[in-house]
């Protein structure tokens, strides 16, 4: 199968993962290194960044993964930017969204749209030292052990239910940089393992507890039904993408049927396509984009 422009379209039965990055992207690199293994169960299909110069964007493009920039400065206010990020992520029809060094807070509109299927990696043992300076704050406090946490994103800052953690000892003579580098070694392994497990086995949130695995009744499908959290939202709300924590995520891509990219309304570079802010994409471009981006890597950068 080929795109209209002749690029190969890859298909996969793996869970579709969209990764959000702001910086160098070493965690993204680890996911990209893992996702070619058919047994891994997850595949990075898109990368979104708030920064045009984020190293993670280059890593994505080198790996043939579509990369998108949604810079806050291009939008009138935070709510508009937040909505644009959500739309940019939605284009890739994610089963799972991973914040890997994404240094901005996403508002309830984003969190609600991808509720129960958004993970964040943080360089400290939460609930200690949340926020943008987890390593610095732990060091300043004088802890002898810190580490990293992968958690489900909720409306708070680094407050969501914890999926996995690894401890990293603080060594005499550590500064923020040396400690962060050691944490990142542990963090990459933890993130790769956790994303793979969530993709393969499913995830269920039960209050503050996160349970992985089919035995938890989490997932009946390898793709799509990745997350199931107790609650009572209706199916139509889920189909509309308005599910919140408490809503079962039932089908692929939150259950939405078909491909639909009518309005991007954001400044996005889908590796070769530039969509201007707030411009409605014409119907042919919409269908083409939808068709191309419906593939795993867009095939656009090949
Ligand atoms: C990671 O250590 C991640 O935990 C941290 O930024 C680093 C990104 O590294 N995130 C936060 O501090 C979020 N509060 P990377 O760009 O090399 O993956």
């Amino acid at each position: 199968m080929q795109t209209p422009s002749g690029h190969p379209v890859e298909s996969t039965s793996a869970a579709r993962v969209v990764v959000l990055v702001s910086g160098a992207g070493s965690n993204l690199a680890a996911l990209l290194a893992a996702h070619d293994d058919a047994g891994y169960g997850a595949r990075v299909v898109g990368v979104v960044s708030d920064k045009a110069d984020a190293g993670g964007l280059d890593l994505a493009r080198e790996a043939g993964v579509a990369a998108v920039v949604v810079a806050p400065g291009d939008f009138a206010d935070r709510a508009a930017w937040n909505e644009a990020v959500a739309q940019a992520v939605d284009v890739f029809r994610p089963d799972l969204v991973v914040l890997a060094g994404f240094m901005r807070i996403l508002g309830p509109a984003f969190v609600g749209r991808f509720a129960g299927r958004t993970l964040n990696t943080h360089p400290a043992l939460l609930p200690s030292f949340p926020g943008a300076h987890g390593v610095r704050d732990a060091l300043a406090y004088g802890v002898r052990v810190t580490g990293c946490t992968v958690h489900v994103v909720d409306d708070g800052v680094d407050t969501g239910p914890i999926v996995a953690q690894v401890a990293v000892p603080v060594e005499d003579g550590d500064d923020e940089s040396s400690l962060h580098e050691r944490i990142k070694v542990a963090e990459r392994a933890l993130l790769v393992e956790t994303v793979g497990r969530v993709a393969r086995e499913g995830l269920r949130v039960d209050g503050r507890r996160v349970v992985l695995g089919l035995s938890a009744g989490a997932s009946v499908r390898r793709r799509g039904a990745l997350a199931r959290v107790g609650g009572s939202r209706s199916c139509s709300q889920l189909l509309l993408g308005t599910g919140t924590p408490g809503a079962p995520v039932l089908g692929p891509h939150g259950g939405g049927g078909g491909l639909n990219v009518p309005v991007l309304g954001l400044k996005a570079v889908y590796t070769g396509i530039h969509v201007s802010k707030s411009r409605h994409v014409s119907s042919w471009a919409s269908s083409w984009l939808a068709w191309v981006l419906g593939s795993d890597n867009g095939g656009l950068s090949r």
Side-chain angles (χ1 to χ4, degrees):
M1 196 177 178
Q2 289 188 322
T3 66
S5 52
H7 295 300
V9 173
E10 195 181 334
S11 65
T12 180
S13 60
R16 303 173 66 86
V17 179
V18 173
V19 182
L20 273 63
V21 297
S22 297
S26 68
N27 282 287
L28 168 65
L31 290 169
L32 291 169
H35 81 167
D36 277 334
D37 180 342
Y40 183 57
R43 186 153 188 93
V44 179
V45 294
V47 171
V48 177
S49 180
D50 58 321
K51 292 191 167 174
D53 62 351
L57 292 168
D58 295 329
L59 294 173
R61 291 172 185 135
E62 282 160 22
V65 172
V68 184
V69 178
V70 189
D74 290 332
F75 296 88
D77 54 30
R78 197 163 184 85
W81 172 77
N82 203 72
E83 175 58 25
V85 176
Q87 286 187 39
V89 170
D90 229 6
V91 163
F92 297 108
R93 300 177 293 129
D95 294 308
L96 192 61
V97 179
V98 176
L99 312 186
F102 191 68
M103 300 306 284
R104 287 183 194 273
I105 294 165
L106 291 158
F110 183 98
V111 173
R113 192 127 140 203
F114 305 104
R117 53 184 167 129
T118 305
L119 302 179
N120 177 49
T121 179
H122 181 75
L125 291 177
L126 293 171
S128 294
F129 313 116
H133 305 292
V135 180
R136 186 187 308 173
D137 294 346
L139 204 54
Y141 194 91
V143 296
R144 300 309 308 184
V145 176
T146 182
C148 48
T149 302
V150 176
H151 67 93
V152 177
V153 172
D154 67 5
D155 280 337
V157 177
D158 300 327
T159 53
I162 291 166
V163 186
Q165 293 183 299
V166 163
V168 175
V170 178
E171 290 176 2
D172 293 340
D174 258 338
D175 59 16
E176 183 179 355
S177 169
S178 64
L179 180 56
H180 200 173
E181 279 314 306
R182 275 205 325 290
I183 289 172
K184 282 170 82 167
V185 172
E187 187 178 25
R188 290 192 284 268
L190 184 71
L191 186 66
V192 167
E193 184 194 346
T194 305
V195 167
R197 278 202 68 189
V198 170
R200 293 187 302 272
E201 303 173 20
L203 171 155
R204 178 168 63 89
V205 178
D206 183 7
R208 288 292 316 170
R209 288 192 59 234
V210 172
V211 185
L212 298 180
L214 287 170
S215 59
S219 173
V220 290
R221 297 179 53 157
R222 187 167 153 186
R223 269 192 52 196
L226 281 163
R228 186 184 177 85
V229 286
S232 60
R233 287 288 166 136
S234 74
C235 225
S236 59
Q237 284 171 302
L238 293 169
L239 291 171
L240 289 168
T242 56
T244 58
V249 178
L250 296 171
H253 332 303
L259 299 170
N260 184 23
V261 194
V263 181
L264 291 178
L266 51 85
K267 185 181 179 185
V269 181
Y270 288 96
T271 323
I273 303 171
H274 193 100
V275 182
S276 296
K277 180 182 173 185
S278 298
R279 182 177 300 163
H280 288 232
V281 181
S282 65
S283 61
W284 72 265
S286 167
S287 328
W288 185 74
L289 251 184
W291 194 74
V292 169
L293 292 172
S295 70
D296 291 313
N297 62 11
L300 289 169
S301 57
R302 294 259 165 112

